[in-house]
């Protein structure tokens, strides 16, 4: 028999896969973005499912990681500070206690070499702007397991696309 669901949120809830499973609302996403409009847009796209921290500069990201249990980073490539987003991603990946945090690089300046640069700087995925809520959540969900409610279960393991 087929069960009808009113929307996708009735079907599944995301839980993390790179650490012990927790409820999606316990999953903390750090948004590193210097444009206030993009900050608000991204926050509104994901705040129903995830807790959110936001910074607009590369200068305090390591401090934020030290003080919080961040599960995923959305990293704009062009940010304020002495490092761009790719340089900061590479620095984060070189710190053992943060090296397993997935980093999704985002940028509005999409050139043919941006995806390759993201790979070289150790980002786990690349999402060009503008993106939709579905596109953003689909990209985040590449790094989480999906657990269905009821007796039906679907599991999606962590994937690194790049």
């Amino acid at each position: 028999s087929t069960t009808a669901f009113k929307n996708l949120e009735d079907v599944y809830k995301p839980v993390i896969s790179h650490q012990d499973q927790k409820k999606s609302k316990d999953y903390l996403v750090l948004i590193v973005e210097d444009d206030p409009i993009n900050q608000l847009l991204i926050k509104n796209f994901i705040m129903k499912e995830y807790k959110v921290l936001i910074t607009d500069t590369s200068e305090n990201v390591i401090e934020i990681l030290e003080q919080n249990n961040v599960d995923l980073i959305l990293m704009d490539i062009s940010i304020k500070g002495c490092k761009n987003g790719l340089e900061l991603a590479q620095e984060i990946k070189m710190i053992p206690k943060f090296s397993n945090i997935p980093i999704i690089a985002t940028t509005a300046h999409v050139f043919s070499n941006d995806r390759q640069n993201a790979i070289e700087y150790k980002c786990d995925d690349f999402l060009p702007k503008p993106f939709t809520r579905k596109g953003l959540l689909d990209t985040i969900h590449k790094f989480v397991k999906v657990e269905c409610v009821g007796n039906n279960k679907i599991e999606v393991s962590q994937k690194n696309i790049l």
Side-chain angles (χ1 to χ4, degrees), residues 33-50:
E33 168 66 61
D34 61 349
D35 182 275
I37 294 170
N38 286 339
Q39 289 175 0
L40 184 61
L41 180 69
I42 295 168
K43 178 182 175 184
N44 286 335
F45 277 178
I46 67 173
M47 64 188 259
K48 287 183 181 177
E49 293 192 38
Y50 304 106

Side-chain angles (χ1 to χ4, degrees), residues 8 45 127 131-141:
L8 199 54
F45 277 178
L127 185 63
F131 45 76
T132 63
R133 179 179 191 272
K134 181 183 181 329
L136 177 58
L137 289 173
D138 285 350
T139 303
I140 291 172
H141 291 162

Side-chain angles (χ1 to χ4, degrees), residues 9 12-16 20-29 46-52 71 137 140-141 144-147:
E9 291 174 2
Y12 74 89
K13 60 178 183 172
V15 292
I16 67 167
D20 294 332
Q21 292 185 354
K22 18 179 174 173
K23 295 177 184 174
S24 64
K25 202 61 179 166
D26 294 333
Y27 195 76
L28 181 60
V29 175
I46 67 173
M47 64 188 259
K48 287 183 181 177
E49 293 192 38
Y50 304 106
K51 290 191 281 184
V52 174
D71 296 296
L137 289 173
I140 291 172
H141 291 162
V144 301
K145 285 187 178 179
V146 176
E147 184 180 273

Side-chain angles (χ1 to χ4, degrees), residues 17-100:
S17 63
H18 71 280
Q19 297 178 359
D20 294 332
Q21 292 185 354
K22 18 179 174 173
K23 295 177 184 174
S24 64
K25 202 61 179 166
D26 294 333
Y27 195 76
L28 181 60
V29 175
L30 173 61
I31 300 168
V32 185
E33 168 66 61
D34 61 349
D35 182 275
I37 294 170
N38 286 339
Q39 289 175 0
L40 184 61
L41 180 69
I42 295 168
K43 178 182 175 184
N44 286 335
F45 277 178
I46 67 173
M47 64 188 259
K48 287 183 181 177
E49 293 192 38
Y50 304 106
K51 290 191 281 184
V52 174
L53 288 175
I54 300 173
T55 185
D56 65 354
T57 177
S58 65
E59 301 304 313
N60 61 355
V61 170
I62 300 299
E63 181 181 341
I64 289 170
L65 294 176
E66 291 282 356
Q67 295 174 359
N68 298 276
N69 188 18
V70 173
D71 296 296
L72 184 135
I73 302 169
L74 294 172
M75 178 80 70
D76 186 24
I77 291 176
S78 302
I79 54 173
K80 297 179 197 173
C82 61
K83 295 183 174 108
N84 69 36
L86 294 180
E87 295 165 337
L88 183 56
Q90 186 175 46
E91 178 183 345
I92 291 167
K93 291 295 189 172
M94 290 176 15
I95 301 171
K97 63 184 169 183
F98 304 136
S99 64
N100 290 329

